[in-house]
Every structure is written in structure tokens, then in C-alpha cells.
Amino acid sequence: MSTFIQLHLLTAYAPSNLNRDDLGRPKTAKMGNSNRLRISSQSLKRAWRTSEYFYQSLSDNIGIRSRRFARELVYKPMVEQGIVDKIAKESAIKIAEQFGKLKKEKTPKDPLDNLDIEQLVHISNDEQRAIAQLVEQLINEKRVPTDDEVKLLRKQNSSIDIALFGRMLADSPSFSVEAACQVSHALGVSSVTIEDDFFTAVDDLNNKDVDAGSAHLGERAFASALFYTYICISRDLLLENLNGDEALVEKTLKALTESATKVAPLGLQNSFASRAYTSYLLIEKGTQQPRSLAVAYFKAICSEDLVNDAITRLEQQLDKFDKVYGQCADSRYVLNTETGTGTLTDALDFVVQK
């Protein structure tokens, strides 16, 4: 049986626009009979995996996600070392094709655009090292790589972001990695009204006797919510994805948990300073089938004590599932800033204990 780690978080954000839709407005979702504010799981995962909590202890085990890696890791280093443009481009193309289909634009804006692949690909740190070693050899020998040399995909993986969030390679499925971590979209527990902020900017050098008007007019949408976020991690799959490195698994679990409780997406941070710590964290561990507690919020909360009422709803839903299905976890840890229960240090210790 697999061991699952489940994180349930309640995080409050003041008026902000953390994650925008195609019109620049805060993302929403219909839940129950009302609209809720939403932060996409993609936005959350990027904020976490690029946070200082990952890089402080895991900088040697973080991959890159890019379409432009061939121009940056192959073409530019070769040209900078005096390799002729034709050899550098052919080398970049041959290496890029191992990771995805090349873009084929008849009239590219940049001549190097055709060295890029069509879709983002996650490249592990092991693969980055292999690319760097090959490029160094090609520079020394002033040549294009052979077909065997460009087989740079690696099944062995020590990149924690790939181990957590997976990798899909349609053309090379044997090198795909199943994600060990599933992340929900964060959803507001109450109904939402999106408001608009109309603002102006004044030119400091205006001559007020002649021109007292604004130099710029703008509008930004914003909203506020207490978000419920659910994270489910297969500890066994994470260990498998990281080649059985238990120490790396523990570092990864701690970095993910601390990031999830402290790190916000970067959307319009300079305009709203929308940084927040989680008010409530429930960690569950066990071999039981995982389940979200989002059903607690299908009826929107409307109260003056939103945080405490949301915590009560979540804990009541927890008890309901336990009563009907039996104990849904072997062990639990609660961090509650409203009551002063628990500490982050103890939560991080708990999340890595077997």
C-alpha cells in the first residue's frame, strides 16, 4: 500500500489579483451556487518550485522548464567559444529534437526562434549536466554531435521539481515521469465580488499652471478571499522518482510544505503586497485512499468570523468522513494560528516522519 501525505490549507489574502485570466481579472470558479475566487494549481506550483525554500537546500536538484534551452545551453556557448554559426545551429537543432518537436516558422521574428521547441519541457539537472559535457566536447573538437551522442534523455532523475510535478514527453514516453504530488486549485470559501481599481499617474514635471491632468489612466480588478488548498503526495512514488534517496525526499517534503504555507503567487505583488501565511494547516499521513475536504465549502460561508468558521467547517467535515468511512488517516498534525496550536517547525518534522 502506498503512503499518502495530505495537506489541507486555509490562507487569507487581502484585496489582490494573484492569478489573472485572459482579461487580466482575478480567476474565478463556480462552486456550489456561487462564484469563488480561484488561484490555479499551475500558478501555485510555479511559485513554490521557484521559491527560496526550494533553492536554499535543493539548488543542485532543481531542473529547468523551457522551450529555449537549445539556444541558451548549446548555441550561445558554442558561438561564444568561436564555433562557426552553422555547426552551432546544427548542434542545437539535433539536441533540441531529443526533447520535443522544433518550431518551424517561415518568417521568425528572431533567427534563433527555429532552435526552440514547440512546447515547454522540463529538463532535469542530470540532463543539463549531460548537455554541458557534450557541448564542451563539441567545442573542443569543432564539430556537430553524432546521433548516439544526442541521446541525452535520462530515466534516472534527481530533480525534485520533476519528481513532484511530473514530466510528459509525448515523443519519448519512456522518459516521462509520473507526478508524485497533486495540487488542487485554491478556491475561496465564500462568494466573491470582483471590484475595479481606477487609478491615475501624475507626471512629476507637469507645469500645474498649464497641465494639471494625469499622464496615465489605468484600471485593475481585484478581490479578497480565504482560500482552501489541497495537496496530495504519494511518498512512495516520490521516493521512486528520486531513485530511493531518502534524504532528498525529506528535504523535498519540508521545502514543499514550507513553501505552501508561506509563498504566494507573484501576480501584481507590487500593486497589492498580497503576501500571506497560512492560518490553518492540517497534515494527514496514512495508507488510506486520499480525499479532499473541499465539500465543506460547497455552501459558501457568510459570516463575520470567516477564518474560524472555515476551520470549524473543515474539522466537522473531517469528522463526518471518519465516522462513515472509518479513520481516514493514521496520524494527523494541526497548525492553527487562531488558537496558537502547533508550530511550523513541528509540522515540518511531522511531515517527514515515516
Side-chain angles (χ1 to χ4, degrees):
M1 296 288 290
S2 295
T3 299
F4 295 101
I5 300 170
Q6 300 176 83
L7 308 182
H8 308 266
L9 304 98
L10 290 169
T11 309
Y13 286 99
S16 56
N17 189 343
L18 292 165
N19 189 206
R20 289 166 279 176
D21 65 15
D22 56 337
L23 299 177
R25 301 177 69 78
K27 288 185 176 180
T28 60
K30 192 85 169 181
M31 185 172 175
N33 291 318
S34 62
N35 283 326
R36 312 296 180 87
L37 208 58
R38 175 171 67 94
I39 305 173
S40 73
S41 59
Q42 295 91 337
S43 176
L44 291 170
K45 287 185 286 188
R46 174 166 175 77
W48 298 340
R49 72 179 178 83
T50 58
S51 72
E52 63 181 277
Y53 300 109
F54 274 88
Y55 278 88
Q56 279 176 347
S57 58
L58 295 162
S59 58
D60 292 335
N61 298 98
I62 297 177
I64 57 170
R65 190 174 66 163
S66 176
R67 298 183 303 173
R68 302 162 56 92
F69 71 94
R71 72 163 79 184
E72 299 296 332
L73 303 183
V74 182
Y75 176 81
K76 288 185 178 179
M78 294 185 75
V79 170
E80 288 169 359
Q81 294 298 316
I83 302 300
V84 297
D85 188 75
K86 181 180 179 182
I87 290 178
K89 282 184 177 177
E90 287 183 17
S91 299
I93 288 171
K94 290 192 70 172
I95 291 173
E97 287 176 333
Q98 298 300 303
F99 292 85
K101 292 181 179 179
L102 287 172
K103 291 171 62 176
K104 294 181 179 178
E105 298 183 10
K106 293 182 179 179
T107 55
K109 295 179 181 178
D110 184 327
L112 299 183
D113 282 351
N114 286 333
L115 302 182
D116 301 340
I117 57 176
E118 291 180 345
Q119 296 185 337
L120 285 169
V121 64
H122 226 134
I123 304 170
S124 73
N125 53 310
D126 295 323
E127 290 162 345
Q128 291 176 63
R129 282 193 288 267
I131 292 172
Q133 290 170 0
L134 176 57
V135 168
E136 183 178 358
Q137 182 179 350
L138 298 178
I139 291 171
N140 291 334
E141 299 175 7
K142 297 180 174 58
R143 64 177 177 84
V144 174
T146 66
D147 291 344
D148 286 336
E149 286 176 326
V150 296
K151 294 178 180 179
L152 295 164
L153 287 166
R154 299 287 184 265
K155 189 66 177 177
Q156 182 177 355
N157 171 60
S158 61
S159 293
I160 53 93
D161 40 359
I162 294 177
L164 280 172
F165 305 128
R167 174 172 80 172
M168 197 277 285
L169 294 171
D171 294 331
S172 303
S174 62
F175 294 99
S176 295
V177 178
E178 183 180 355
C181 177
Q182 300 166 345
V183 181
S184 75
H185 290 232
L187 290 170
V189 303
S190 58
S191 59
V192 65
T193 299
I194 296 178
E195 302 178 71
D196 292 298
D197 175 31
F198 175 78
F199 64 92
T200 66
V202 177
D203 190 326
D204 292 341
L205 299 182
N206 272 358
N207 183 339
K208 295 181 175 56
D209 294 331
V210 178
D211 182 5
S214 171
H216 174 75
L217 304 176
E219 183 179 339
R220 289 195 181 102
F222 64 89
S224 173
L226 174 68
F227 291 93
Y228 169 72
T229 309
Y230 172 66
I231 303 169
C232 180
I233 308 153
S234 170
R235 197 186 199 285
D236 298 335
L237 182 55
L238 180 60
L239 183 62
E240 179 184 333
N241 286 351
L242 292 175
N243 308 308
D245 190 334
E246 180 63 38
L248 189 54
V249 167
E250 292 185 5
K251 287 183 180 180
T252 300
L253 290 173
K254 283 188 174 183
L256 175 64
T257 303
E258 186 161 10
S259 296
T261 59
K262 290 183 175 180
V263 176
L266 296 177
L268 294 181
Q269 283 288 359
N270 291 342
S271 298
F272 293 100
S274 46
R275 300 186 182 273
Y277 281 7
T278 287
S279 295
Y280 181 91
L281 167 67
L282 167 65
I283 306 174
E284 300 184 285
K285 295 190 297 187
T287 58
Q288 296 87 336
Q289 183 66 22
R291 82 281 172 265
S292 167
L293 297 174
V295 66
Y297 306 114
F298 267 69
K299 181 179 179 181
I301 299 177
C302 182
S303 75
E304 294 183 358
D305 194 3
L306 189 63
V307 175
N308 278 309
D309 288 347
I311 292 171
T312 299
R313 284 261 199 108
L314 187 144
E315 292 182 340
Q316 288 175 343
Q317 188 61 53
L318 187 73
D319 292 339
K320 290 176 184 178
F321 278 142
D322 280 355
K323 182 177 180 180
V324 173
Y325 291 102
Q327 195 76 6
C328 294
D330 295 332
S331 57
R332 294 180 172 126
Y333 186 87
V334 171
L335 183 157
N336 185 340
T337 63
E338 295 298 296
T339 61
T341 302
T343 67
L344 179 60
T345 299
D346 289 343
L348 297 180
D349 289 340
F350 176 81
V351 82
V352 300
Q353 292 170 359
K354 293 185 179 179

